[in-house]
Amino acid sequence: MSAPSRFDRGHTDDLMSFLAASPTPYHAVANAAERLEKAGFRQVAETDAWDGATGGKYVLRGGAIIAWYVPEGADAHTPFRIVGAHTDSPNLRVKPRPDSGAHGWRQVAVEIYGGPLLNSWLDRDLGLAGRLSLRDGSTRLVNVDRPLLRVPQLAIHLDRSVNADGLKLDKQRHMQPVWGMGDDVRDGDLIAFLEETAGLASGEVTGWDLMVHSVEAPAYLGRGRELVAGPRMDNLLSVHAGTAALAAVAAKGSALPYIPVLAAFDHEENGSQSDTGADGPLLGGVLERSVFARGGSYEDRARAFAGTVCLSSDTGHAVHPNYAERHDPTHHPRIDGGPILKVNVNNRYATDGSGRAVFAAACEKADVPFQSFVSNNAMPCGTTIGPITAARHGIRTVDIGVAILSMHSARELCGAKDPYLLANALVAFLEG
């Protein structure tokens, strides 16, 4: 299969804008919701009674979003076509008592979230963003998108062996960023600064979920601008593609054999076990309520789930030119070679032969090439929301994604065409 003859760089431009505007899962789902609203979707509250009306709907919960489009003529037992993704990325997150420091430096106490490449956060200009919980029970998003913090590396003069022996970082001692000078460190300084930044009264913030991010903008790279460097591609690249695909399918307004769904979860990077993670009840509850709102029974729910397929879309590993021996010798996914189909016989990925056939059909319909990925037998394999989704809901699930370099770095790298190719494949999949 050949790639679509006309590459739309506009999709990749839009991805870069989405990455820049989404420093946290909370911002990512807010931005996805805004795009879906423009496509005619409407938010439904989990505490309200749902109706069976046709059209696009979505649920927001924390850093997760579930969106779906009910076409004209859909029955209560109509199966779903789901694009699954996750909104979180490895990073540094603010502790409950953030204010610390020593020796004339003011610092912010952070905890390591997920499995980041720690060295990629050193000597990088960092902003601070997240969700503030207010005294009245509401929440407010905040984003200080300017150089505010920095994790300074030790000078080579004080560690002469670093290049020979390798950099060794202690997560507690070496990863605390500085954000100013002074010996008078006081509890509440950071939150008071954020209250002022967000235009809130002093003492209004009673809780927070805050994380640091690189303020360097996503950028094209390479001789022909054929590469994209940017933060949080794992896995906002898939969230963006899934949002665009769902909006495109809904805009066609034609009768569909399936109900297309976007399920973007939080907390994949630390196991998915939360009320907004893939191992929680959110997706199953939304799908069941959709069936019941259309007058369905438990039998209809069982029939719908039996015919449902989920594409778990997450980034994967492109072959690294400097470390090719770390990859399987017969599976070398290339940048801009199209989305990858992830396979692991020990069920770290959920793909099987029948799932491969579903994805191959979607790619053939979209005229999009795809590649296969399998880990080197001597290397432990990562995992995704795919096996969790399959096991928890009993639905056929296929693991796919875009091949990138520098996964879990503060700044990752992909081909400029691959996000566009993925989105085209997702449109074809959701259309059935």
Side-chain angles (χ1 to χ4, degrees):
M1 291 177 289
S2 61
S5 57
R6 296 180 61 188
F7 162 50
D8 181 6
R9 194 176 284 271
H11 177 87
T12 306
D13 291 341
D14 190 61
L15 167 63
M16 293 164 71
S17 297
F18 185 81
L19 293 174
S22 304
T24 76
Y26 314 110
H27 291 81
V29 298
N31 290 321
E34 181 180 4
R35 291 160 184 257
L36 291 172
E37 288 273 357
K38 292 178 180 178
F41 285 67
R42 62 180 178 88
Q43 183 176 1
V44 293
E46 293 184 81
T47 53
D48 291 344
W50 292 4
D51 59 45
T54 59
K57 306 170 187 179
Y58 67 91
V59 165
L60 286 180
R61 184 193 290 182
I65 183 171
I66 311 293
W68 67 103
Y69 179 80
V70 180
E72 293 286 348
D75 295 317
H77 59 268
T78 297
F80 302 93
R81 280 284 174 107
I82 305 168
V83 172
H86 68 87
T87 61
D88 59 320
S89 301
N91 58 15
L92 313 179
R93 303 205 172 187
V94 175
K95 288 184 174 181
R97 294 187 63 185
D99 300 291
S100 67
H103 308 292
W105 295 100
R106 289 190 176 185
Q107 294 177 275
V108 175
V110 297
E111 192 172 4
I112 308 302
Y113 178 83
L117 285 169
L118 295 178
N119 65 291
S120 71
W121 291 90
L122 301 178
D123 296 332
R124 190 179 292 274
D125 294 338
L126 303 173
L128 187 65
R131 179 179 64 176
L132 302 175
S133 297
L134 308 185
R135 192 172 297 280
D136 63 3
S138 64
T139 59
R140 179 80 63 87
L141 297 185
V142 64
N143 182 12
V144 183
D145 196 31
R146 66 169 177 84
L148 179 70
L149 308 103
R150 187 179 181 91
V151 183
Q153 189 169 189
L154 185 65
I156 193 169
H157 312 78
L158 304 178
D159 186 5
R160 296 284 185 178
S161 64
V162 63
N163 288 332
D165 298 339
L167 180 64
K168 298 178 177 62
L169 294 171
D170 183 283
K171 292 180 180 180
Q172 178 62 40
R173 292 186 295 125
H174 300 151
M175 296 306 298
Q176 308 306 308
V178 300
W179 76 302
M181 299 180 296
D183 292 308
D184 56 335
V185 176
R186 297 181 300 272
D187 283 344
D189 277 355
L190 180 68
I191 300 306
F193 165 76
L194 293 175
E195 287 174 331
E196 181 180 0
T197 300
L200 298 170
S202 177
E204 199 169 347
V205 173
T206 56
W208 52 88
D209 302 280
L210 299 166
M211 55 204 76
V212 305
H213 65 277
S214 170
V215 299
E216 186 179 2
Y220 286 108
L221 183 135
R223 179 177 179 178
R225 300 171 71 239
E226 65 267 38
L227 301 170
V228 175
R232 300 176 294 281
M233 290 183 184
D234 178 15
N235 185 33
L236 293 188
L237 190 157
S238 294
V239 175
H240 174 264
T243 302
L246 180 60
V249 170
K252 295 182 179 181
S254 58
L256 298 168
Y258 303 98
I259 295 173
V261 179
L262 169 67
F265 302 100
D266 201 352
H267 301 130
E268 188 271 350
E269 298 292 355
N270 61 7
S272 295
Q273 292 185 322
S274 70
D275 68 324
T276 53
D279 203 19
L282 181 58
L283 176 61
V286 168
L287 299 184
E288 288 178 350
R289 290 184 69 177
S290 175
V291 170
F292 298 152
R294 284 177 279 121
S297 62
Y298 183 82
E299 182 72 9
D300 291 311
R301 179 260 188 217
R303 293 174 65 188
F305 276 44
T308 292
V309 183
C310 173
L311 290 188
S312 164
S313 182
D314 203 346
T315 53
H317 303 293
V319 61
H320 197 301
N322 299 337
Y323 301 90
E325 73 281 359
R326 301 293 182 101
H327 300 263
D328 182 86
T330 60
H331 294 77
H332 279 179
R334 300 171 67 96
I335 291 290
D336 277 351
I340 56 175
L341 180 76
K342 302 179 182 180
V343 178
N344 179 263
V345 295
N346 293 304
N347 289 331
R348 300 290 285 174
Y349 303 130
T351 306
D352 62 10
S354 65
R356 185 188 193 280
V358 171
F359 184 60
C363 289
E364 183 175 5
K365 178 182 177 181
D367 193 22
V368 166
F370 72 91
Q371 312 173 80
S372 294
F373 171 83
V374 65
S375 290
N376 185 310
N377 286 334
M379 297 285 170
C381 179
T383 190
T384 68
I385 66 167
I388 294 171
T389 303
R392 183 169 184 84
H393 306 294
I395 58 180
R396 182 166 37 163
T397 304
V398 189
D399 272 295
I400 66 160
V402 162
I404 69 171
L405 292 183
S406 306
M407 187 184 295
H408 286 201
S409 171
R411 195 167 177 85
E412 297 161 325
L413 186 71
C414 77
K417 294 181 180 179
D418 273 335
Y420 172 72
L421 297 176
L422 174 64
N424 276 272
L426 296 183
V427 168
F429 166 74
L430 291 177
E431 288 179 337

